Amino acid sequence: MQVSNVSGNDQDWQVRLEFSGGRVTTAWVMNAQQGKLRENDGIYTYTGGADLAPGASVRLMFHVERAETRPVACSVNGVTCSGL
């Protein structure tokens, strides 16, 4: 999934994902500083390792076991994901 900063300021970022019946085994960003993946009651949160500059984007990759690859719920900084 692509995470983009459409604001005019540097932004920290956090992605929350939930998958039906499965689990995320790993997550990483392409060509950027890595962040941290945490799990709490089946909800996975990836916190970016660096702020995104205005207009910048990163590609967040994740490996899911025993579930559809499309999450049942997704948000970035509290805003529902689009285009999944």
Side-chain angles (χ1 to χ4, degrees), residues 11-74:
Q11 293 283 316
D12 60 348
W13 57 280
Q14 185 177 76
V15 176
R16 292 174 52 97
L17 301 164
E18 185 176 352
F19 293 89
S20 179
R23 68 186 186 105
V24 176
T25 59
T26 188
W28 66 98
V29 289
M30 302 292 291
N31 302 318
Q33 185 175 339
Q34 299 304 302
K36 294 186 183 210
L37 177 67
R38 297 177 198 247
E39 186 269 337
N40 186 16
D41 292 330
I43 298 174
Y44 296 86
T45 304
Y46 187 91
T47 302
D51 288 355
L52 282 177
S57 63
V58 293
R59 185 152 179 85
L60 175 62
M61 308 293 288
F62 44 88
H63 179 78
V64 181
E65 289 184 343
R66 298 186 307 271
E68 294 290 323
T69 56
R70 182 174 297 228
V72 295
C74 174

